[in-house]
Amino acid sequence: MSPVALGVDFGTSHTVAVWRRDDGPAVPLLFDGSPLLPSGVYADTVDGLRAGRAAANAARVDPARFEPNPKRRVDDGSLLLGEDEFAVVDVIAAVLTRVRAEAVRVAGAVDAVVLTHPAAWGPRRRLVLEDAAENAGLAGATLLPEPVAAARYFTTVLGRRISAGQAVVVFDLGGGTFDASVVTAGGGGFEVAAVDGLESLGGVDVDQALIELLARVHGEREGWSRLMSPESPRERAARRLFTEDVRMAKEALSTDSRAELPIPLLDVPAMLTREELEAVTGRLLEGAVATTRAVVRAAKLTPERIAGVFLVGGASRMPLVATMLHRALGVAPTVIEQPELVVAQGAAVSVPVAAPVVAPPPAPAPVRPPPVAPRKPKRRLDWRWRAAIALAILLAASILVTQLTKVN
Ligand SMILES: Nc1ncnc2c1ncn2[C@@H]1O[C@H](COP(=O)(O)OP(=O)(O)OP(=O)(O)O)[C@@H](O)[C@H]1O
Ligand SMILES: [Mg+2]
């Protein structure tokens, strides 16, 4: 059987993994029936670190032992789950271990891995990801910037062209971060020509803005402050449930004009409308759109050189995103059905399947030959010089012969 390639997008809210054989289609792995594996990790006192839906469920009982967004903790070194401290690398590895196990179960093996990361991540953060991949049994993973994977999806899966001198603008609004990038196509493949982002703009920030909106209506009611600053296990579980319900209401408002949700501890129903959501997100999105315009300007990209404006990440499903971006850039964005899967799909089609998967054992350090002084190239004399020298020798010889003859 041909080797298996795996593309993994480790996200703030969800992790998505897509696998393929070199002769087959790219197929998302399913976790509990969904292509979106929640990135949250729970520290179980018996089973250790657990990722995915089981972790989210366990968090309802003991939220203190749960980290919902490990990607946001990438700089922290270690984090506290309940009473216990864990290295962030191990927490991320718990998510990737779940991915690897599912890939091996479904595909039988993993031969090459591409792991994506935000384009603005420097070497320190990338190393955390690399170490986590190694801990998860995915050593030798190739790292790829998320917008480059998205551009690969744009050309390979959607079949769109980026001609020489053109570029694609990737607008990635996920769960926890916003990134705008300009990706150009050159002889050596895709390149990020300009990138900028907002580290604290994503779906979770929209959820928080909606909670603040609800606070204006219900904040004076008995129980609201306990819901916002829970102390007992029951209150903490209620808070988690409420956060989930707000997120689901927000997502419903991308298609519906109103959404209802219960407010636990208060026992009152609440309602959110599309207008309210857009009033809240409009302010947040202005920053994202301004960042995108700046990135386009920095890359010196004129509208006719834009091959496409590509919406990526679940939060870009909000209809207001496409509307504002179209207005700002003068180009209608490309909207796709499942924007959460784009990066992992693009990663899966980026990998040369023939590459070795698991890194071969480290080769012995090459023995360096002693430094050799660069040789001066031999200069060959021009033929005119050579002729002149030959002539001079001949002349000298004939003079010598003449002198000798005279002497004799
Ligand atoms: N229909 C929708 N309307 C609004 N938001 C949505 C919709 N569908 C999903 N989202 C939001 O998208 C976010 C998750 O997107 P995604 O899975 O792309 O993020 P991520 O890759 O985990 O995060 P990041 O890229 O920031 O690391 C969540 O906040 C979710 O609520
Ligand atoms: Mg993402």
Side-chain angles (χ1 to χ4, degrees):
M1 259 203 279
S2 57
V4 172
L6 184 68
V8 185
D9 171 17
F10 168 62
T12 307
S13 312
H14 304 117
T15 293
V16 178
V18 172
W19 71 281
R20 71 173 178 104
R21 294 188 193 283
D22 55 357
D23 49 356
V27 184
L29 288 177
L30 297 183
F31 303 92
D32 308 303
S34 163
L36 307 183
L37 170 70
S39 296
V41 172
Y42 182 80
D44 194 296
T45 43
V46 179
D47 295 332
L49 295 172
R50 294 165 68 188
R53 211 154 305 274
N57 287 340
R60 288 180 184 260
V61 181
D62 192 354
R65 299 193 69 81
F66 183 64
E67 171 49 61
N69 308 118
K71 191 175 175 182
R72 276 201 162 174
R73 308 294 300 270
V74 66
D75 292 327
D76 293 357
S78 66
L79 54 87
L80 212 56
L81 296 176
E83 314 278 279
D84 305 312
E85 194 175 355
F86 294 89
V88 169
V89 165
D90 293 334
V91 175
I92 297 174
V95 180
L96 299 179
T97 300
R98 178 78 203 275
V99 169
R100 182 180 181 273
E102 195 55 28
V104 170
R105 196 183 70 76
V106 172
V110 179
D111 297 297
V113 183
V114 171
L115 194 51
T116 60
H117 60 85
W121 273 20
R124 213 160 60 91
R125 290 179 177 181
R126 292 203 303 267
L127 273 179
V128 172
L129 202 55
E130 252 174 27
D131 290 348
E134 194 170 334
N135 287 6
L138 298 172
T142 304
L143 262 55
L144 188 73
E146 289 165 7
V148 171
R152 187 79 65 183
Y153 180 96
F154 189 73
T155 55
T156 311
V157 183
L158 297 186
R160 300 279 293 266
R161 266 177 63 81
I162 307 179
S163 320
Q166 282 197 316
V168 59
V169 179
V170 179
F171 181 100
D172 185 351
L173 188 57
T177 48
F178 164 70
D179 289 311
S181 328
V182 169
V183 182
T184 52
F190 292 111
E191 245 179 49
V192 181
V195 62
D196 200 359
L198 301 169
E199 290 243 323
S200 54
L201 176 62
V204 292
D205 304 288
V206 176
D207 300 347
Q208 185 52 37
L210 286 176
I211 290 175
E212 282 160 24
L213 187 76
L214 289 170
R216 275 186 242 145
V217 182
H218 303 280
E220 299 299 317
R221 288 181 195 267
E222 156 69 21
W224 181 267
S225 56
R226 279 186 290 125
L227 188 61
M228 290 301 106
S229 314
E231 282 173 8
S232 68
R234 177 173 162 260
E235 288 167 2
R236 280 197 285 268
R239 175 59 201 259
R240 271 205 60 75
L241 202 62
F242 179 54
T243 309
E244 279 286 288
D245 284 343
V246 169
R247 181 182 59 75
M248 289 194 311
K250 170 197 71 178
E251 293 176 7
L253 289 174
S254 284
T255 42
D256 303 339
S257 57
R258 39 182 274 171
E260 282 173 7
L261 70 154
I263 306 186
L265 300 185
L266 273 68
D267 287 330
V268 291
M271 222 236 312
L272 289 167
T273 64
R274 169 86 69 89
E275 288 85 62
E276 285 172 328
L277 172 71
E278 296 199 336
V280 166
T281 44
R283 281 194 296 276
L284 296 175
L285 289 178
E286 269 165 24
V289 171
T291 304
T292 311
R293 287 171 76 134
V295 162
V296 167
R297 250 189 90 186
K300 300 189 172 31
L301 203 59
T302 48
E304 60 282 2
R305 286 182 50 220
I306 299 179
V309 176
F310 197 20
L311 298 189
V312 176
S316 72
R317 277 215 183 89
M318 293 184 289
L320 189 60
V321 170
T323 309
M324 287 178 71
L325 216 50
H326 191 173
R327 213 179 292 143
L329 299 180
V331 178
T334 302
V335 180
I336 66 156
E337 194 68 15
Q338 287 186 293
E340 294 96 340
L341 308 192
V342 165
V343 169
Q345 298 244 18
V349 296
S350 296
V351 61
V353 185
V357 158
V358 182
V367 181
R368 288 184 179 215
V372 180
R375 277 199 211 148
K376 279 193 183 164
K378 279 186 187 164
R379 292 182 62 188
R380 297 196 61 180
L381 286 176
D382 187 55
W383 65 271
R384 279 173 288 239
W385 275 103
R386 279 185 275 156
I389 291 168
L391 213 66
I393 292 172
L394 266 175
L395 202 65
S398 67
I399 292 171
L400 195 66
V401 170
T402 321
Q403 291 301 325
L404 282 174
T405 326
K406 274 187 192 167
V407 170
N408 294 334

